Structure formats: C-alpha cells, structure tokens
Amino acid sequence: MKTTLGAVVLLAASSAACAQSSVTMYGRVDGGIEYLNHIANGNGGSSTRWSAEGGDWGTSMWGLKGTEDLGGGSAAIFDLETAVQIMNGTTGGGRLWSRRAYVGLKNDTWGQLQAGRNLFIDSDGVWAFDPFVQQAVSSASLVRGRNWQQTSNNVEYHSPVWKGLDVQGQYSFGNQPGNFNAGAEGEFGRSDGIMLSYHSTLFDLRGIYDELRDSSGRFSNIFTASREYFVGGNLRVQKFKIQAAYTHYSAPDSPPGISDTADHYWLGATYQATPKWAVTAAGFYIHVGEGGGDASHDPASHAMLYALGTTYNLSARTFLYGTVAYVNNSKNGTFSVFATPRDSSTPTSPMAGQSQTGAYVGMMHVF
C-alpha cells in the first residue's frame, strides 16, 4: 500500500512539474525562384541570373524555446534558433545557433532580463515598421543589410508594456583583453542600443539609437559599423496599414576622404484586400553624404528603390508570395534591390549608375 501511495505521489509531482514547464519547437521554411538583372560581372559588363532561392520572403529557421514557471509571476526562459538555407541544407554562418541563443528571467512586473546571442536591437525593432518586413527586398536593401545583423555576448532588458509604452536595451560585450571596444575576429566589437516604443489600436511609434562597432572597436563603415538613429511609425486605417521611417547613419572612424554619413527614408502601405490576400507597395530612398568610396565603402551617391509585393494565405500557416522591385542609382551609386555588402563575395550590385530589376515568387510554411 505504501509503495502504491508513493508511486502516486511521485507521478503527481512529476505531472505538476511538467505542467509548470514547457519546451516548444518552432520554425518556418521558405523557398522559391528569383530573377535579377544588371549584375556587374567584373569585366565591364553585366549579367542576368535566374536561381532557386530560399529565404527571400523571410529567413528559413528552426528553434527551441522554453519556459519554467518559478511562481510569483516569474519564469525562467530560453531560446535557441538558427537560420537554415533549404536549397542546400546548410545553417547560418556555420553556427549551431546563428540567430538566437539566450537564457533569462521574466517577471510580469519588472520585465525580462536575458543573456546570450540575439538579433541586434535594430534588427529586432525595424522589421515591424518596414512595409516589406525585411524581406530580401526591404528596408535592408539600400543599407546593405545594416539593419538585420546579430550580435554575441549580449545582456538585454525588455520592460513590461505600461499604458502602451515599453523600452528595450541591449549591450554586447567585445570580450577582448586590452581593448574594451574590440571584438573577436569575424565578430562585432562592443555594441549597444536602446529602443522606445508606443503602441495603440490606431498607430505605433518607435525610436532607436544604437552603436554597432567593427572587430577593432571602431565606427568604420556607415553600412557595417556605425551609429544609427531611427524613428518610425505605423498607421492603421480600415484595410490599410501605412508605414514610414527615417534613419541616419554615421561612421566617424571611416578612412579620411571616405563618405561617413547616410540618410535613409521610406514610405509604404499594405492593403488587406481580403482575409487571405494582401498587396504591399513602398518606396525606399538612400542618400550617402559627401566623400569618396573604395571596395568596401560607398561614395557620395543616392538611389531610389520601388517595390510591389503580394501574399495569399493558403491556410493559417502557409502562404504564397511574390515581389518585384526596381532600383534607380545616381551616377556613383551601385545599390542592388537586394541587401548585398559592397565587398560581398557573392555580389548582386549593378555597375555604377546602372538601374536594376529583381523579382521572386515562393511559398512560406510556418510551424
């Protein structure tokens, strides 16, 4: 009888523990076909490319996240998440967990504190104010991916929402002896940022200030290691969602004579025609300040990117998408419709002053 009673008590305790803890596997899978013209081929000419691509609408990824109820409105949390390229089966950047790998504590009253790798604060904050939600064609295009980075060695705080207001802060240590601002080779140096947001049923507002340093601890390139000031807004009017933003970048440690500032603007709208079908149109503009350029730095120039896209929901978790875009460069501009670094080993940029058209169609499944 004692043995039976003991087994029942242990089973009940085990069930209670399970009820207080949970681990969830999640992710999304994105694949399709892409077209791009006027790609500079390095021989004074340009080429056109058709390709099978994964992640054009959004990065394919999978992850594990969990929570344990600690009582009193507190919980322990973790998140492990990696990017996946479905066309060849590789994961992001050779890392097991390329996007997120953090552990933390969450409380209903004081907020959430976590430590580990995560999306950089502007990547976590800009997408919700981008009409194209940081697709391959999006607010990331004309800033060469500056606003979709990840950083390691983070300590991060998220406040609760109080009357529509919340604040988020992130601090990324360089972890290097002898140079507090430096980072390991191939990593960012000490970086940080703060984000203030306001949400209501009619509109949202967000402001961000951040500092993204190179591995030497310097602000050396407006689109890879710089200071950023961002302000954005969303307005919801019946079936329309209107989105606008402005960003200023500065890189005071750029080489002498090189452009060290840029201003980025956009305006767009999404029309939810039916519960299943939506159409989005937007214009993005970049202006690089006075100065020269080199293999990795853009010279004084400007460009306008026009984008039109649509999505159609097949179910609550699966949708089809299509996007077409056109970029018009100034005389010195080499901006692509895609967010490719100027010195990328797989470039998509056109020759200086040349326009470019890109398009993609595909399917996204979320699980």
Side-chain angles (χ1 to χ4, degrees):
M1 180 67 178
K2 289 182 180 180
T3 302
T4 303
L5 180 60
V8 170
V9 170
L10 286 174
L11 180 61
S14 176
S15 298
C18 290
Q20 294 172 0
S21 302
S22 66
V23 176
T24 302
M25 184 176 73
Y26 68 93
R28 62 188 190 191
V29 185
D30 178 316
I33 299 172
E34 178 185 286
Y35 165 82
L36 187 63
N37 72 3
H38 292 175
I39 306 169
N41 58 25
N43 297 316
S46 60
S47 303
T48 296
R49 185 188 74 192
W50 286 90
S51 57
E53 292 291 339
D56 272 339
W57 195 93
T59 304
S60 295
M61 61 188 184
W62 77 278
L64 299 169
K65 59 183 177 182
T67 181
E68 180 189 13
D69 187 357
L70 301 177
S74 296
I77 59 169
F78 77 88
D79 197 347
L80 303 171
E81 180 182 292
T82 193
V84 179
Q85 174 49 261
I86 68 166
M87 292 302 169
N88 56 27
T90 57
T91 56
R95 301 173 191 264
L96 179 58
W97 307 109
S98 61
R99 289 171 57 88
R100 306 180 198 265
Y102 63 78
V103 65
L105 292 172
K106 180 173 67 174
N107 179 273
D108 295 339
T109 301
W110 56 258
Q112 179 173 315
L113 184 66
Q114 63 193 56
R117 182 172 174 83
N118 200 7
L119 304 181
F120 189 51
I121 192 167
D122 68 336
S123 177
D124 213 13
V126 168
W127 70 268
F129 292 79
D130 177 354
F132 280 83
V133 290
Q134 293 199 323
Q135 297 179 35
V137 170
S138 67
S139 66
S141 297
L142 298 184
V143 298
R144 302 193 181 277
R146 165 62 168 78
N147 58 13
W148 64 14
Q149 302 299 328
Q150 299 90 37
T151 49
S152 300
N153 312 313
N154 292 318
V155 176
E156 192 167 334
Y157 171 72
H158 301 244
S159 78
V161 177
W162 182 75
K163 294 186 177 180
L165 285 168
D166 66 271
V167 64
Q168 178 179 337
Q170 185 183 71
Y171 192 95
S172 175
F173 289 85
N175 281 11
Q176 301 305 299
N179 187 343
F180 186 67
N181 288 331
E185 184 178 356
E187 298 280 355
F188 290 108
R190 182 178 69 85
S191 301
D192 51 77
I194 187 166
M195 178 166 66
L196 180 65
S197 305
Y198 175 77
H199 306 280
S200 73
T201 55
L202 178 62
F203 66 92
D204 312 303
L205 295 172
R206 176 164 291 167
I208 303 172
Y209 171 75
D210 67 68
E211 301 178 334
L212 187 63
R213 291 174 171 84
D214 65 19
S215 60
S216 298
R218 298 170 63 83
F219 301 114
S220 58
N221 189 311
I222 49 177
F223 296 136
T224 60
S226 56
R227 292 189 175 103
E228 175 185 23
Y229 303 83
F230 168 89
V231 60
N234 298 331
L235 176 65
R236 289 172 285 275
V237 181
Q238 296 181 347
K239 293 186 176 183
F240 289 90
K241 183 178 183 180
I242 302 166
Q243 300 176 275
Y246 164 72
T247 311
H248 175 75
Y249 299 99
S250 65
D253 301 322
S254 297
I258 295 294
S259 297
D260 61 2
T261 63
D263 294 286
H264 189 209
Y265 310 79
W266 70 77
L267 175 64
T270 297
Y271 174 59
Q272 192 70 48
T274 71
K276 291 187 174 183
W277 179 45
V279 179
T280 299
F284 303 86
Y285 176 76
I286 189 75
H287 179 269
V288 180
E290 293 302 314
D294 57 24
S296 57
H297 297 81
D298 283 278
S301 55
H302 56 90
M304 187 74 197
L305 171 66
Y306 305 92
L308 179 66
T310 186
T311 58
Y312 184 83
N313 297 326
L314 299 177
S315 70
R317 297 190 299 167
T318 303
F319 64 88
L320 304 176
Y321 62 82
T323 297
V324 60
Y326 171 82
V327 65
N328 184 22
N329 280 296
S330 67
K331 180 181 178 181
N332 295 323
T334 61
F335 292 97
S336 171
V337 298
F338 297 140
T340 307
R342 187 172 169 87
D343 57 357
S344 173
S345 58
T346 55
T348 65
S349 295
M351 294 187 295
Q354 195 169 47
S355 63
Q356 186 179 68
T357 300
Y360 47 82
V361 295
M363 183 178 80
M364 169 80 81
H365 175 74
V366 179
F367 61 90

